Amino acid sequence: MDTSRGASRTGERRWRKLTGTQPAYDNNWAPITIGPDGTAYAGVFNGIVAVRDTG
């Protein structure tokens, strides 16, 4: 995740990815954690979703 342009300070969205729909993918109250390799992990109703930027 590139934060060199100040996105971490301004709150500007830098990347967005739909991970699923319906209540099974609800992460409304779960924190998003960034792993050492840049993978974003979010707890959802049925478990955990991992999201990576492969581009």
Side-chain angles (χ1 to χ4, degrees):
M1 177 191 268
D2 178 20
T3 59
S4 62
R5 295 188 183 180
S8 63
R9 294 183 183 167
T10 66
E12 175 188 4
R13 180 182 297 148
R14 298 296 304 247
W15 191 71
R16 182 177 181 168
K17 179 68 178 168
L18 178 64
T19 58
T21 61
Q22 306 298 326
Y25 293 92
D26 179 11
N27 74 327
N28 192 40
W29 303 105
I32 297 173
T33 303
I34 307 297
D37 65 348
T39 300
Y41 297 94
V44 295
F45 184 72
N46 282 342
I48 297 175
V49 172
V51 182
R52 292 177 191 86
D53 182 6
T54 60

